[in-house]
């Protein structure tokens, strides 16, 4: 290991600007390794590093927990960062490495399959994870090839064994012989099916590529946007912050380098790393929340209503409490109260924590099945948010492993629950009150089809101009996210990561007659 190859040395490529936007791209816009001509360490493999670099070890442990324990990467990673006492720069490196390797798994596995002399399923899963980490460093990060190779081999030696270390060394040398653009061109040269091509190049399961294509078409957009949508799923999302109205201030975040959000008031974009360093975030008055979710909560609170003075609001599917916290703060300002319902006990506890900064007289958390509430409290609420359990196909960029976990059957299985929850929400709404049906999936089976079914079955609900209401709640005022729904005078709203920089949230606002 030469002096520049130390885990913390600049030769390791952690120059502090490892973010997506700073990576070098080729003419086709694909990321390339910065190394140019490949350089390898002159040291013989057996003499190279045997110690695992803590940042790479943290990333490796995240991949192992995801594969072995079905863990969520975003929950495991912070614990590993703490355990290995990574400083800010190394924490950023571990995050980019773990998330990037998980997101890119589809493409990397296809490349690795050409470099390993046996089917990947027959490899020890730990070796496969080390290879994925090596492939991501070699093909998509600003890590010099020799450092990526030495350090990944060192990791494999230290945590798996000497034999696996040699295998990792041999395979990653083959991987490093070409850059990502050359590899993907090779992988797809005989592939004529555009879905299969897109799946390989953009590392998504084929069924999700198909589902997102249907989603674009179903919401009146062009299939030509598919590539941009898939690419947006692979970009690390910037952390969005919201200052709870009347409670929080973004001053501290702005002083720490956050930029004011352009889509929604009292929001900011924070690229400064661990938000837990901000006292306002620790106090719960400033929260991490996607701008699309912020907009939806604000739109629900802002729809003009006749008839009530002290309004009652209901969040029927509230866990973990992102929208409930914003709704609670908005309710406090307008003299309303909020009931936040969630059936899973541990998630109901998260809702309580999310609401902790809001006056406790304003809100209550109920632990129970939302399908019961329409019957238990008929016509009991002025505003009802029903943010149903869904496939999450609109939030894949936030959950790096989610695309590999979801199954095509999830779409069909969730349909009946989504319909029952929307019915219960409608029952719980008073005449003249509003219901917001919301998903973080753009798939027509979970969005427009559910709303169209409801409007066919029930004559006591009308679709509002949801797009105009969302526009009014947003800063630019013209999101162009609306879609006219046949047979109604109203519109639904579909936000997109590649167009609006938000999760692909759907919203339909309905008024009970
Ligand atoms: C998409 S999440 C809601 C996100 C939340 N509104 C937020 O902004 O943080 C859906 C929630 O619905 C809950 N859920 C599942 N089955 C439910 C049911 N039968 N009744 C009410 N909620 C349910 C899930 O546990 C999950 O917490």
């Amino acid at each position: 290991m030469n002096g520049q190859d130390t885990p913390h040395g600049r030769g390791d490529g952690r120059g502090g600007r490892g973010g997506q936007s700073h990576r070098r791209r080729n003419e086709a816009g694909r990321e390339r390794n910065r190394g140019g001509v490949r350089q390898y360490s002159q040291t013989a493999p057996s003499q190279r590093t045997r110690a695992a670099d803590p940042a790479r070890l943290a990333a490796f442990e995240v991949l192992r927990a995801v594969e072995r324990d079905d863990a969520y990467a975003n929950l495991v990673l912070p614990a590993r960062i703490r355990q290995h006492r990574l400083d800010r720069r190394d924490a950023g490196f571990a995050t980019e490495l773990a998330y990037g390797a998980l997101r890119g798994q589809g493409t990397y596995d296809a490349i690795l399959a050409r470099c390993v002399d046996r089917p990947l399923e027959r490899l020890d899963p730990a070796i496969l994870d080390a290879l994925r980490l090596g492939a991501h460093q070699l093909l998509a990060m600003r890590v010099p090839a020799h450092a990526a190779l030495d350090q990944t081999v060192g990791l494999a030696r230290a945590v798996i064994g000497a034999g696996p270390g040699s295998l990792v060394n041999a395979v990653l040398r083959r991987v490093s012989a070409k850059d990502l653009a050359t590899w993907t061109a090779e992988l797809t040269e005989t592939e004529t099916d555009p879905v299969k091509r897109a799946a390989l190049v953009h590392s998504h399961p084929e069924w999700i590529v198909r589902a997102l294509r249907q989603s674009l078409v179903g919401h009146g957009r062009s299939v030509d946007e598919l590539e941009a949508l898939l690419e947006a799923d692979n970009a690390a999302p910037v952390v969005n912050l919201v200052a709870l109205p009347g409670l929080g201030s973004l001053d501290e975040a702005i002083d720490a380098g956050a930029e004011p959000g352009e889509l929604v008031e009292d929001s900011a974009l924070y690229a400064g790393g661990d938000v837990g360093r901000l006292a306002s975030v620790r106090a719960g008055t400033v929260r991490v929340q996607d701008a699309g979710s912020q907009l939806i909560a604000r739109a629900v609170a802002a729809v003009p209503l006749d008839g009530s003075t002290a309004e009652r609001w209901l969040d029927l599917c509230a866990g973990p409490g992102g929208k409930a916290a914003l709704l609670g703060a908005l309710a406090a300002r307008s003299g309303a109260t909020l009931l936040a319902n969630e059936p899973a006990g541990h998630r109901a506890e998260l809702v309580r924590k999310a609401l902790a900064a809001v006056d406790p007289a304003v809100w209550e958390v109920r632990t129970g099945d939302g399908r019961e509430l329409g019957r238990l409290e008929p016509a009991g609420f002025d505003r009802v948010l029903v943010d149903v359990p869904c496939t999450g196909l609109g939030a894949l960029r936030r959950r790096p492993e989610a695309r590999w976990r979801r199954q095509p059957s999830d779409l069909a299985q969730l349909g009946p629950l989504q319909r029952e929850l929307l019915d219960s929400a409608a029952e719980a709404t008073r005449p003249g009150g509003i219901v917001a049906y919301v998903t973080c999936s753009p798939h027509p089976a979970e969005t427009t089809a559910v709303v169209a079914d409801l409007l066919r079955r029930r004559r006591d609900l009308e679709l509002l101009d949801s797009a105009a209401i969302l526009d009014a709640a947003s800063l630019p005022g013209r999101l162009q996210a609306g879609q006219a729904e046949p047979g109604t005078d109203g519109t639904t709203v579909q936000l997109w990561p590649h167009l609006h920089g938000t999760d692909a949230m759907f919203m339909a606002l309905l008024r009970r007659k």
Side-chain angles (χ1 to χ4, degrees), residues 268-497:
L269 308 178
Y270 183 71
D274 181 12
V275 285
R277 293 183 308 122
L278 302 178
S280 51
V281 170
R282 287 198 304 277
T285 55
V286 170
R287 297 180 44 78
V288 174
Q289 186 173 38
D290 177 64
S293 290
Q294 296 181 37
L295 264 179
I296 280 172
R298 285 183 181 275
V300 170
V303 185
L305 283 194
D306 291 330
S308 294
T309 41
E311 292 187 5
R312 288 188 78 206
W313 299 0
L314 170 63
D315 183 351
L316 196 65
C317 307
K323 293 182 197 69
L326 185 46
L327 281 175
L330 292 167
R333 292 229 296 195
S334 65
T337 56
L338 172 73
L339 176 65
N341 178 77
E342 166 62 43
H346 66 286
R347 289 175 78 80
E349 203 42 51
L350 294 176
V351 181
R352 280 187 197 96
K353 280 202 185 120
L355 277 159
V358 180
D359 179 355
V362 169
W363 56 269
E364 187 189 332
V365 175
R366 171 185 185 266
T367 309
D369 192 325
R371 288 172 291 188
E372 301 162 348
L373 262 173
R375 183 172 44 77
L376 295 175
E377 295 213 42
F381 298 89
D382 299 276
R383 297 171 198 267
V384 179
L385 168 66
V386 54
D387 185 8
V388 292
C390 70
T391 55
L393 291 181
L396 295 179
R397 58 197 191 135
R398 294 196 187 281
R399 299 260 170 81
E401 74 285 348
R403 69 189 72 176
W404 311 116
R405 291 243 169 95
R406 285 289 178 200
Q407 300 294 325
S409 55
D410 295 344
L411 268 175
Q413 272 167 14
L414 286 161
L417 177 60
Q418 291 165 344
R419 283 166 176 77
E420 285 177 61
L421 284 166
L422 178 52
D423 259 321
S424 174
E427 282 302 305
T429 307
R430 67 147 169 101
I434 56 114
V435 186
Y437 176 78
V438 172
T439 65
C440 58
S441 162
H443 197 279
E446 308 185 81
T447 57
T448 44
V450 176
V451 175
D453 265 9
L454 179 88
L455 292 172
R456 256 193 306 273
R457 279 185 289 112
R458 298 182 65 132
R459 297 279 158 210
D460 61 338
L461 290 159
E462 62 177 343
L463 184 66
L464 300 178
D465 188 353
S466 314
I469 294 164
L470 198 81
D471 277 352
S474 77
L475 284 178
R478 282 221 54 78
L479 284 165
Q480 298 193 313
Q483 182 182 353
E485 294 300 331
T488 76
D489 293 333
T491 60
T492 54
V493 166
Q494 182 59 61
L495 295 168
W496 297 101

Side-chain angles (χ1 to χ4, degrees), residues 165-185:
S166 301
L167 173 67
V168 167
N169 182 50
V171 173
L172 290 184
R173 276 178 178 273
R174 280 176 219 143
V175 171
S176 70
K178 295 162 201 164
D179 67 14
L180 185 58
T182 310
W183 271 119
T184 50

